[in-house]
Amino acid sequence: MNPSSPSPASFAASGPLKGRVRVPGDKSISHRSLMLSALAVGRSTVRGLLEGEDVLATAAAMRAMGATIDRGDNGIWTIHGVGVGGLLQPQAALDMGNSGTSTRLLMGLVASHPITATFTGDASLSGRPMGRVIEPLSQMGADITASPGGRLPLMLRGLCPAVPIEYRLPMASAQVKSAVLLAGLNTPGITRVIEPIATRDHSERMLTGFGADLTIENDETGARVIAIRGEAELRPQDIVVPGDPSSAAFPMVAALLVPGSDVVIENVGINPTRAGLIEVLQAMGGDITLTNERVVGGEPVADLHVRHSMLSGIEVDPGIAPSMIDEFPILFVAAALARGRTVTRGLEELRVKESDRIALMAEGLAAIGARVTETEDGLIIDGTGGEALPGGAPIAAKLDHRIAMSFAVAGLVSAANVMVDDMTPVATSFPQFAALMTSLGAQIS
């Protein structure tokens, strides 16, 4: 991504969206499949890998630390791993681009290896705090020197052997949980993470699939206690990555909002720790049917049949937030077209994503005519009852891919075009977004 060359695009109301589409591979699973394959001894393959910039940053980092990673002409990726404990000293800084997931999870991997790595990123990533990962990894013995505010660039000196810890997550975060578990892979003894509020469990599923000794229990308070025994030997795997539910969210909401639409989104991961948006939209009256449900590589998958629906505003249970934290920007767009009021709370984490997503969505939605009130931890939105938004105002996406795609969908249900100032960040997670939406009938110029 070249920040000096923004790529604006205009999104306009269109006729009904129709067709069958597939979204790119799940970003969370793609990251983890590369990392764990690189730590297995032998040859793993990955089909359906998301080939966005974030995941490619992970691939480049694992290559820099000794793994052999190749993409075949057939789209199948082959990884020859170095084994747990076998990561090599990278010869240059690891450039994470815009990927917070790559940064936090790789910090965990490096923390228990006898190597030093410098992590850098783009302007957006360099503004994101890493303190909540630095804290537990420092307890395990890693020596971390960060820029002011716990930000990138930072240098991490791993400790081997690292110190096993029992760490209670102060706030729900799959990335922090995963960073500690990955550090625990090469740490003697048992490392435990206590998770009061369940978050996405791709790391636990995939670690188990690769052969790690991992257990999950509930303590007397109901919190999940995830324990991993270190000095693991991981077995190579053949992985099939399901479609990313966070990417499927955009055509799904578009089909619900654009009158007459009837869309099938194939091969979408419906892991319960990720499927909160489907549950909320159905509660709002969204016509979303799960068909062809199956399990692929330990992950539940289905096709989503979505038809235009009149949505009704609801109070969203804050407890569901971890299972749809990346989908709130597009939910806010859906709420803006719903009948009645939608209230969201408990979304503080959205303020430290690629951007302050609460503030940006409030500002942008207000600019295109939505009735929105920003609170400390969420938004209150009074919907139009299905009437098109006025639109017409330009949107500054602030290098945030989900903000850009959310306002692209808003443009499809606005009376006047919505211009998004820069769609290049979309390449981090959904490079085919514009082509996919156009194939369904969306008007983009």
Side-chain angles (χ1 to χ4, degrees):
M1 193 194 317
N2 182 356
S4 65
S5 305
S7 177
S10 180
F11 299 84
S14 61
L17 303 178
K18 303 273 189 179
R20 300 179 71 92
V21 291
R22 284 196 172 214
V23 295
D26 185 285
K27 187 151 71 94
S28 297
I29 296 173
S30 293
H31 282 302
R32 289 159 174 81
S33 67
L34 289 174
M35 292 181 194
L36 294 185
S37 295
L39 291 177
V41 178
R43 175 182 178 273
S44 295
T45 61
V46 182
R47 291 169 171 79
L49 188 85
L50 168 63
E51 296 181 5
E53 291 176 357
D54 282 11
V55 174
L56 297 181
T58 291
M62 299 316 298
R63 285 192 191 103
M65 292 187 285
T68 302
I69 302 176
D70 297 300
R71 182 192 187 279
D73 293 338
N74 55 4
I76 298 174
W77 290 69
T78 302
I79 302 97
H80 292 273
V82 296
V84 172
L87 294 181
L88 303 178
Q89 173 72 42
Q91 297 306 303
L94 302 176
D95 183 357
M96 299 289 96
N98 188 241
S99 182
T101 303
S102 302
T103 307
R104 295 187 176 109
L105 269 58
L106 287 170
M107 285 172 64
L109 278 186
V110 172
S112 57
H113 282 74
I115 59 179
T116 298
T118 298
F119 293 84
T120 63
D122 68 8
S124 171
L125 181 61
S126 297
R128 298 176 68 181
M130 296 294 156
R132 53 190 171 150
V133 185
I134 292 172
E135 164 71 19
L137 297 181
S138 297
Q139 290 182 27
M140 298 181 77
D143 180 9
I144 303 170
T145 305
S147 296
R151 291 172 163 82
L152 300 189
L154 66 75
M155 185 171 67
L156 189 156
R157 294 184 181 86
L159 177 67
C160 187
V163 180
I165 62 170
E166 180 172 288
Y167 188 71
R168 187 179 187 89
L169 292 176
M171 66 182 293
S173 172
Q175 292 181 357
V176 178
K177 170 180 66 175
S178 299
V180 176
L181 293 175
L182 291 173
L185 268 179
N186 197 44
T187 299
I190 296 175
T191 297
R192 289 183 177 86
V193 179
I194 302 171
E195 185 177 53
I197 301 172
T199 63
R200 57 183 67 176
D201 64 356
H202 302 304
S203 292
E204 296 96 304
R205 288 174 185 257
M206 193 170 286
L207 281 163
T208 300
F210 272 85
D213 183 352
L214 182 141
T215 60
I216 302 171
E217 298 174 346
N218 290 94
D219 68 12
E220 64 281 357
T221 70
R224 294 173 83 235
V225 181
I226 306 127
I228 188 165
R229 185 177 295 278
E231 301 176 302
E233 282 196 27
L234 301 186
R235 301 184 295 268
Q237 301 293 306
D238 295 311
I239 297 167
V240 179
V241 180
D244 194 322
S246 297
S247 295
F250 299 100
M252 178 167 63
V253 169
L256 289 174
L257 298 183
V258 176
S261 296
D262 190 333
V263 169
V264 175
I265 310 168
E266 299 176 340
N267 192 49
V268 179
I270 54 166
N271 182 312
T273 64
R274 295 286 302 285
L277 178 66
I278 296 174
E279 187 178 326
V280 168
L281 290 171
Q282 288 173 329
M284 295 173 75
D287 185 351
I288 305 168
T289 306
L290 276 58
T291 63
N292 192 20
E293 293 190 50
R294 55 210 187 270
V295 176
V296 178
E299 291 279 349
V301 174
D303 300 339
L304 308 181
H305 188 183
V306 189
R307 300 176 184 88
H308 169 250
S309 309
M310 184 65 245
L311 302 179
S312 297
I314 62 170
E315 287 212 18
V316 180
D317 178 1
I320 205 169
S323 68
M324 56 176 292
I325 196 66
D326 287 331
E327 287 76 73
F328 275 98
I330 190 62
L331 175 68
F332 296 149
V333 174
L337 273 290
R339 181 189 294 118
R341 172 171 285 189
T342 298
V343 179
T344 60
R345 294 177 289 115
L347 308 182
E348 297 92 343
E349 187 179 347
L350 290 187
R351 293 201 183 274
V352 292
K353 287 289 194 176
E354 282 85 335
S355 67
D356 180 341
R357 288 178 173 166
I358 292 176
L360 272 188
M361 289 304 299
E363 179 185 332
L365 285 170
I368 61 174
R371 291 177 294 165
V372 54
T373 302
E374 180 179 347
T375 64
E376 190 175 325
D377 62 346
L379 295 182
I380 299 169
I381 299 172
D382 291 293
T384 65
E387 293 295 318
L389 293 165
I395 298 295
K398 303 285 188 182
L399 298 177
D400 189 322
H401 54 135
R402 300 201 196 282
I403 299 291
M405 289 185 282
S406 295
F407 281 104
V409 172
L412 306 183
V413 287
S414 294
N417 292 15
V418 171
M419 172 73 76
V420 179
D421 67 337
D422 188 7
M423 293 298 291
T424 48
V426 170
T428 65
S429 66
F430 198 164
Q432 310 94 327
F433 172 75
L436 181 145
M437 296 303 295
T438 301
S439 77
L440 292 173
Q443 298 292 315
I444 304 174
S445 58

